Amino acid sequence: MRVIIMGAGLVGSPMAIDLVQDKNFEVTAVDIEEKPLQNLSKNYNINTIKKDLSYASNLRELLHDYDLVINAVPGFMGFKTLKAIIEAGKDVVDIAFFPEDPFQLNGLAKKNGVTAIVDCGVAPGMSNILVGYEYHRLDKVDSVVIYVGGLPQKRELPFEYKAVFSPIDVIEEYLRPARYIENGKPVIREAISEPEIINFPEVGSLEAFNTDGLRTLAETLPIPNMKEKTLRYPGHIDKIRLLREMGLLSKNEIKVNGKNVRPLDVTTSLLFPQWQLKKDDKDITIMRIIIKGMAGKRKKQITYNLIDKYDEKTGIHSMARTTGYTATMCARLIAEKLFHKPGINAPEAVSADSECVEFILAGLEKRGVFYKRKVK
């Protein structure tokens, strides 16, 4: 099967490397940057194409000869890229995490016979799959809380943070209002609100705060109480709030020396070099999912814990592993015809079939990513 990966960045490249190990796949990676493409071509014998993916005409040319697409472009390009993929009639796994509603493309995907699995990373992604898995096994689910974060193992001031995926998408997390479900009703709260301290024995205390991470879960599963919170080292919230309240994250143009500039563009130009995850920087991904419900007449609490670290052997960052390998395992689901459902599919749609979930978990464990399940 011929697979093309749109984007060869922090997550795109490890996905290409993972898939090319499988003899069933012929892998091509596309990016506008030469450096990651050279690495893939030279060291892994992966086909590469240098192309600006922001132009729809380039997408139409590229997709013709491929059977399956993985969309790993930045979020601001994600929706239109996914639309172009569906218009081309190609099955797709998407990790672009764009702000638009993916279900707007459901009719188009069904019309073109395209199976699309969206939001297919660690969270959203595996968080949705595991919540859906338990939803279908329990008689009733009353509440779900998801805590998740990608962090540098080494804490360095001033931010004690490195962008373990697209930095512009990190900023978007701090700006986009957070949607929750409380008592069966949707609730919208400001991002970076309702902070709390959560202890993780492996890393210590972390801040948790509201971000818009539920995404499709808020629409697809009738669970009366659901929320997701992002994790950072303590003190991070105050620094981001200060930037936001000063207007330094604003997208509205202001005049500086007679020129129109967006404060966000200036801030990101200064921040991103500091947040850049360098090759030797080691990261850690932490997730805890708490699901409460009923099995018959008995109350159940099911907790999933993930503590995943930078892979010393391969040099692949944890966020790339936990995000990318979820996507590549879902690509294998489609390739092996274990999952075929034309239309836009949220990750939780996959978990309606326990065989699919077990297939993904087994593949992740083979790659050293372990979700520990505890029931009480």
Side-chain angles (χ1 to χ4, degrees):
M1 175 174 277
R2 294 163 298 178
V3 181
I4 185 167
I5 300 176
M6 317 294 275
L10 284 171
V11 182
S13 287
M15 287 194 295
I17 294 166
D18 178 57
L19 287 174
V20 83
Q21 311 301 318
D22 192 325
K23 294 179 181 179
N24 295 323
F25 294 118
E26 179 185 327
V27 183
T28 299
V30 187
D31 205 284
I32 194 172
E33 297 291 337
E34 185 71 38
K35 188 175 179 180
L37 296 178
Q38 287 179 343
N39 175 56
L40 293 175
S41 177
K42 180 181 178 181
N43 296 317
Y44 300 97
N45 198 30
I46 292 170
N47 302 319
T48 60
I49 300 172
K50 184 179 179 181
K51 189 76 76 172
D52 186 348
L53 294 172
S54 63
Y55 293 98
S57 58
N58 286 344
L59 295 176
R60 286 191 292 270
E61 292 172 14
L62 282 171
L63 296 172
H64 184 266
D65 295 327
Y66 297 93
D67 306 304
L68 178 64
V69 185
I70 297 182
N71 184 22
V73 301
F76 69 90
M77 295 166 52
F79 185 82
K80 71 174 184 178
T81 303
L82 178 60
K83 184 179 179 183
I85 295 166
I86 293 171
E87 287 173 340
K90 305 298 181 179
D91 289 342
V92 56
V93 174
D94 187 289
I95 63 162
F97 309 131
F98 45 79
E100 296 89 348
D101 179 2
F103 293 114
Q104 293 179 60
L105 300 174
N106 191 43
L108 179 63
K110 286 183 176 180
K111 178 184 174 183
N112 290 352
V114 169
T115 295
I117 308 176
V118 299
D119 280 359
C120 206
V122 60
M126 273 309 295
S127 55
N128 305 53
I129 289 169
L130 294 174
V131 168
Y133 183 58
E134 299 301 341
Y135 173 82
H136 291 293
R137 287 154 62 96
L138 291 168
D139 294 304
K140 181 182 178 183
V141 177
D142 297 310
S143 70
V144 171
V145 183
I146 301 163
Y147 298 102
V148 62
L151 297 166
Q153 291 188 36
K154 183 179 180 181
R155 299 173 61 173
E156 294 181 334
L157 293 171
F159 286 97
E160 299 183 301
Y161 180 71
K162 297 282 186 177
V164 290
F165 55 95
S166 172
I168 194 64
D169 290 340
V170 176
I171 292 292
E172 190 66 27
E173 279 193 346
Y174 300 147
L175 300 175
R176 194 183 301 169
R179 297 168 296 168
Y180 286 178
I181 303 296
E182 290 186 352
N183 299 317
K185 296 180 180 179
V187 175
I188 296 178
R189 291 199 174 89
E190 183 182 58
I192 330 180
S193 56
E194 297 188 324
E196 58 179 310
I197 298 294
I198 308 292
N199 185 63
F200 295 84
E202 299 86 347
V203 294
S205 296
L206 299 175
E207 287 181 336
F209 53 87
N210 290 341
T211 47
D212 191 38
L214 277 185
R215 293 176 67 89
T216 57
L217 276 176
E219 301 177 37
T220 58
L221 297 183
I223 298 171
N225 297 284
M226 288 188 285
K227 65 172 61 176
E228 191 207 83
K229 289 193 167 186
T230 291
L231 299 169
R232 295 286 185 265
Y233 289 122
H236 188 83
I237 293 174
D238 290 339
K239 293 162 188 173
I240 298 299
R241 275 183 176 163
L242 179 61
L243 293 176
R244 192 175 67 183
E245 290 169 12
M246 289 177 66
L248 292 172
L249 301 182
S250 173
K251 298 176 182 178
N252 298 321
E253 290 186 348
I254 60 173
K255 272 200 182 306
V256 179
N257 295 330
K259 296 182 178 180
N260 289 333
V261 298
R262 295 196 316 168
L264 177 63
D265 294 334
V266 177
T267 302
T268 54
S269 295
L270 295 169
L271 273 182
F272 288 178
Q274 297 182 50
W275 284 6
Q276 183 179 7
L277 191 65
K278 298 179 177 61
K279 183 179 179 181
D280 295 329
D281 287 337
K282 299 175 183 179
D283 68 324
I284 183 169
T285 305
I286 304 124
M287 183 156 68
R288 179 178 293 168
I289 306 170
I290 303 170
I291 302 162
K292 295 181 180 180
M294 303 290 292
K297 295 182 179 180
R298 294 184 60 189
K299 289 184 178 180
K300 290 280 186 178
Q301 177 175 305
I302 299 164
T303 303
Y304 283 94
N305 281 295
L306 170 73
I307 302 289
D308 186 80
K309 296 183 179 182
Y310 171 89
D311 190 326
E312 300 277 358
K313 184 178 179 180
T314 64
I316 295 177
H317 292 101
S318 172
M319 183 56 68
R321 288 157 39 78
T322 55
T323 297
Y325 296 163
T326 304
T328 58
M329 289 310 301
C330 284
R332 289 179 171 92
L333 276 181
I334 294 174
E336 296 185 23
K337 303 189 185 308
L338 293 172
F339 184 83
H340 175 74
K341 187 179 177 183
I344 297 295
N345 297 279
E348 55 270 25
V350 172
S351 57
D353 185 342
S354 60
E355 183 183 354
C356 290
V357 180
E358 289 157 12
F359 176 85
I360 292 169
L361 287 172
L364 291 174
E365 288 185 8
K366 185 178 178 181
R367 290 157 179 79
V369 178
F370 297 92
Y371 288 87
K372 295 181 179 180
R373 182 177 183 266
K374 181 179 178 182
V375 181
K376 70 174 185 179

